[in-house]
Amino acid sequence: MLFSSAVMNVVSAQASNQIDNVRVWPSAEKTRVVFDLSSEAQYSYFTIFDTQPHRIVIDFRQTTNQVTLQNVDVKSDVLRVIRTSNPPQSGTTRIVLEISGAIQPEVFPLGPSEFAGHRLVVDIPGANSSRTIEPTSAAEAPARIPRTLDEMPLRPLIIAIDAGHGGRDPGSVGPNGTHEKNVTLAVARKLAARINADPGMRAVLTRTGDQTLSLAQRTSIARRERADFFVSLHADAFTSPQPRGASVWILSHRRSETELGRALENKERLSEELIDVEHLLQGEEEDPFLNRAILDMYRDSSMAGGFEAATILLRELGGVTTLHRSRPEAASFGVLSSLRTPSVLVELGFISNPQKERLLINGNHQDRLADALYRGVREYFLRNPVEGTVLAATDIRTHVVSRGESLSVIAQRYGVTVDAIRRQNNLTGNTIRIGQRLEIPVAR
Ligand SMILES: [Zn+2]
């Protein structure tokens, strides 16, 4: 028997562990097997290539198995069977993967992420031809989304959405009695739904109902959630009924100076602003110069980001509604005061204009506004990738549709979901035509 490789990871604790689930994902290049564990993997493995069938043998120490392996859907050209075998010592679970050839696997543990707990991953290289011809229905697609996330232990972007006003503060009131707070909440919810349907993003709403919130509470929620982006939604009145367009606002430089000074003087605010570097500063003597330097850096980068995002959002909004101003405007808005998060305030339209008021309560118009905002935020982060996020690891490829290809066939070929292609190309149905160019978001 040839022990061609052995890897041990050193874990001193003798805690008992459990295999809670086993998942198999064949793709065009490899078959991935994931063991979901209740705590950190304590394992070793070796391969047996000198007798048939070729095998990968994994010993999970101090581990019990809760999975009926016969029920695991293997569906791989490379992986034939998953079974248990007699363990070398009591307390160990020995799992055997029978494979189609002498293929050296990659075996590595993954710690808990937003989407999964402790895992041991076994990647077995080798093409799975059946994956490219197997038909898939659109209904299957959502179930495959976690696979994409799991293949990339990356985090989603956190998008904070602030529905302006609320509770005792109705905001502006339109000529027909529409309250601004209801318009902003409706669009905020629609935008959140789009963002949460995107595996690369997660929405955080400052309010989900008719609550009264202070400006400080709104920005504090975004900072504590480590938001990558903050968008505040409004539909204010103008003194005359004529103005009717949308506009996008960013914090003025002067106000950002004031906010920087305030942050340095307020311990709680400072710790929220410095949430990403706090562990670096712990144990250090208070160093106001260092704090100031870091805040300065954050402020410069978030303001540049806010300006670019505002420009993109204006272009997207311009496609679905009239614009009041075609360039971002700067103002002293307290709600945009976070120094670490690019922040914008979107005026969806002026509720004081009777025609705009009717549009702002129209569900289809709200959908179009939410679509435009979603596309804009996504484009901003594709242009300005944030390290360690799903979207930063997403590459956009171009695919020209040829005869006989359906959306599901194309999705299979690139290992993405039909939904992901629809989102990227603003498609609502399944109709595509020969020669059409599609953008395909694939993992890098
Ligand atoms: Zn408002």
Side-chain angles (χ1 to χ4, degrees), residues 164-165 171-172 180 184 233-237 345 347:
H165 311 281
S172 300
E180 181 187 354
T184 61
L233 302 177
H234 287 261
D236 283 303
L345 185 148
E347 288 285 0

PDB file of all heavy atoms in Angstrom, residues 164-165 171-172 180 184 233-237 345 347, ligand 1:
ATOM      1  N   GLY A 164     -35.293  57.729   4.571  1.00  0.00           N
ATOM      2  CA  GLY A 164     -35.351  59.026   5.236  1.00  0.00           C
ATOM      3  C   GLY A 164     -36.629  59.190   6.062  1.00  0.00           C
ATOM      4  O   GLY A 164     -37.674  58.638   5.725  1.00  0.00           O
ATOM      5  N   HIS A 165     -36.498  59.937   7.162  1.00  0.00           N
ATOM      6  CA  HIS A 165     -37.630  60.267   8.042  1.00  0.00           C
ATOM      7  C   HIS A 165     -38.226  59.010   8.681  1.00  0.00           C
ATOM      8  O   HIS A 165     -37.552  58.007   8.789  1.00  0.00           O
ATOM      9  CB  HIS A 165     -38.668  61.106   7.290  1.00  0.00           C
ATOM     10  CG  HIS A 165     -38.022  62.257   6.566  1.00  0.00           C
ATOM     11  ND1 HIS A 165     -37.646  63.405   7.198  1.00  0.00           N
ATOM     12  CD2 HIS A 165     -37.608  62.380   5.266  1.00  0.00           C
ATOM     13  CE1 HIS A 165     -37.054  64.211   6.312  1.00  0.00           C
ATOM     14  NE2 HIS A 165     -37.016  63.613   5.140  1.00  0.00           N
ATOM     15  N   GLY A 171     -41.488  63.702   7.157  1.00  0.00           N
ATOM     16  CA  GLY A 171     -40.760  64.294   6.049  1.00  0.00           C
ATOM     17  C   GLY A 171     -41.661  65.274   5.328  1.00  0.00           C
ATOM     18  O   GLY A 171     -42.619  65.809   5.920  1.00  0.00           O
ATOM     19  N   SER A 172     -41.417  65.472   4.047  1.00  0.00           N
ATOM     20  CA  SER A 172     -42.270  66.385   3.290  1.00  0.00           C
ATOM     21  C   SER A 172     -43.601  65.721   2.975  1.00  0.00           C
ATOM     22  O   SER A 172     -43.690  64.498   2.917  1.00  0.00           O
ATOM     23  CB  SER A 172     -41.583  66.775   1.983  1.00  0.00           C
ATOM     24  OG  SER A 172     -40.364  67.417   2.267  1.00  0.00           O
ATOM     25  N   GLU A 180     -43.470  61.673   2.700  1.00  0.00           N
ATOM     26  CA  GLU A 180     -42.152  61.293   2.199  1.00  0.00           C
ATOM     27  C   GLU A 180     -41.642  60.014   2.869  1.00  0.00           C
ATOM     28  O   GLU A 180     -41.053  59.155   2.224  1.00  0.00           O
ATOM     29  CB  GLU A 180     -41.160  62.444   2.447  1.00  0.00           C
ATOM     30  CG  GLU A 180     -39.758  62.155   1.933  1.00  0.00           C
ATOM     31  CD  GLU A 180     -38.760  63.234   2.333  1.00  0.00           C
ATOM     32  OE1 GLU A 180     -39.176  64.247   2.911  1.00  0.00           O
ATOM     33  OE2 GLU A 180     -37.559  63.036   2.069  1.00  0.00           O
ATOM     34  N   THR A 184     -39.908  56.762   0.920  1.00  0.00           N
ATOM     35  CA  THR A 184     -38.511  56.349   1.114  1.00  0.00           C
ATOM     36  C   THR A 184     -38.448  54.907   1.625  1.00  0.00           C
ATOM     37  O   THR A 184     -37.590  54.137   1.197  1.00  0.00           O
ATOM     38  CB  THR A 184     -37.785  57.278   2.112  1.00  0.00           C
ATOM     39  OG1 THR A 184     -38.436  57.219   3.391  1.00  0.00           O
ATOM     40  CG2 THR A 184     -37.754  58.708   1.621  1.00  0.00           C
ATOM     41  N   LEU A 233     -32.237  57.697   1.440  1.00  0.00           N
ATOM     42  CA  LEU A 233     -33.251  57.987   0.414  1.00  0.00           C
ATOM     43  C   LEU A 233     -34.212  59.076   0.887  1.00  0.00           C
ATOM     44  O   LEU A 233     -34.707  59.022   2.017  1.00  0.00           O
ATOM     45  CB  LEU A 233     -34.030  56.709   0.079  1.00  0.00           C
ATOM     46  CG  LEU A 233     -33.186  55.534  -0.428  1.00  0.00           C
ATOM     47  CD1 LEU A 233     -34.060  54.306  -0.657  1.00  0.00           C
ATOM     48  CD2 LEU A 233     -32.431  55.903  -1.708  1.00  0.00           C
ATOM     49  N   HIS A 234     -34.464  60.015   0.019  1.00  0.00           N
ATOM     50  CA  HIS A 234     -35.379  61.122   0.323  1.00  0.00           C
ATOM     51  C   HIS A 234     -36.218  61.474  -0.892  1.00  0.00           C
ATOM     52  O   HIS A 234     -35.885  61.103  -2.015  1.00  0.00           O
ATOM     53  CB  HIS A 234     -34.589  62.359   0.780  1.00  0.00           C
ATOM     54  CG  HIS A 234     -34.034  62.195   2.166  1.00  0.00           C
ATOM     55  ND1 HIS A 234     -34.637  62.724   3.276  1.00  0.00           N
ATOM     56  CD2 HIS A 234     -32.953  61.513   2.600  1.00  0.00           C
ATOM     57  CE1 HIS A 234     -33.954  62.389   4.350  1.00  0.00           C
ATOM     58  NE2 HIS A 234     -32.915  61.648   3.966  1.00  0.00           N
ATOM     59  N   ALA A 235     -37.283  62.192  -0.652  1.00  0.00           N
ATOM     60  CA  ALA A 235     -38.111  62.733  -1.735  1.00  0.00           C
ATOM     61  C   ALA A 235     -38.691  64.032  -1.207  1.00  0.00           C
ATOM     62  O   ALA A 235     -39.863  64.115  -0.864  1.00  0.00           O
ATOM     63  CB  ALA A 235     -39.205  61.746  -2.116  1.00  0.00           C
ATOM     64  N   ASP A 236     -37.821  65.017  -1.088  1.00  0.00           N
ATOM     65  CA  ASP A 236     -38.210  66.225  -0.373  1.00  0.00           C
ATOM     66  C   ASP A 236     -39.069  67.163  -1.203  1.00  0.00           C
ATOM     67  O   ASP A 236     -39.174  67.030  -2.414  1.00  0.00           O
ATOM     68  CB  ASP A 236     -36.959  66.948   0.122  1.00  0.00           C
ATOM     69  CG  ASP A 236     -36.402  66.250   1.351  1.00  0.00           C
ATOM     70  OD1 ASP A 236     -37.144  66.121   2.324  1.00  0.00           O
ATOM     71  OD2 ASP A 236     -35.240  65.804   1.304  1.00  0.00           O
ATOM     72  N   ALA A 237     -39.649  68.121  -0.520  1.00  0.00           N
ATOM     73  CA  ALA A 237     -40.429  69.157  -1.179  1.00  0.00           C
ATOM     74  C   ALA A 237     -39.504  70.303  -1.569  1.00  0.00           C
ATOM     75  O   ALA A 237     -38.433  70.480  -1.003  1.00  0.00           O
ATOM     76  CB  ALA A 237     -41.508  69.650  -0.241  1.00  0.00           C
ATOM     77  N   LEU A 345     -26.686  60.747  -0.544  1.00  0.00           N
ATOM     78  CA  LEU A 345     -28.098  60.984  -0.266  1.00  0.00           C
ATOM     79  C   LEU A 345     -28.799  61.155  -1.607  1.00  0.00           C
ATOM     80  O   LEU A 345     -28.384  61.990  -2.420  1.00  0.00           O
ATOM     81  CB  LEU A 345     -28.267  62.224   0.613  1.00  0.00           C
ATOM     82  CG  LEU A 345     -29.698  62.534   1.093  1.00  0.00           C
ATOM     83  CD1 LEU A 345     -29.658  63.208   2.467  1.00  0.00           C
ATOM     84  CD2 LEU A 345     -30.445  63.424   0.098  1.00  0.00           C
ATOM     85  N   GLU A 347     -32.120  62.116  -3.674  1.00  0.00           N
ATOM     86  CA  GLU A 347     -33.460  62.681  -3.769  1.00  0.00           C
ATOM     87  C   GLU A 347     -34.127  61.973  -4.935  1.00  0.00           C
ATOM     88  O   GLU A 347     -33.700  62.091  -6.082  1.00  0.00           O
ATOM     89  CB  GLU A 347     -33.393  64.195  -4.083  1.00  0.00           C
ATOM     90  CG  GLU A 347     -32.918  65.049  -2.948  1.00  0.00           C
ATOM     91  CD  GLU A 347     -33.957  65.250  -1.852  1.00  0.00           C
ATOM     92  OE1 GLU A 347     -35.078  64.714  -1.978  1.00  0.00           O
ATOM     93  OE2 GLU A 347     -33.636  65.931  -0.866  1.00  0.00           O
TER      94      GLU A 347
HETATM   95 ZN    ZN B   1     -36.221  64.099   3.265  1.00  0.00          ZN
END
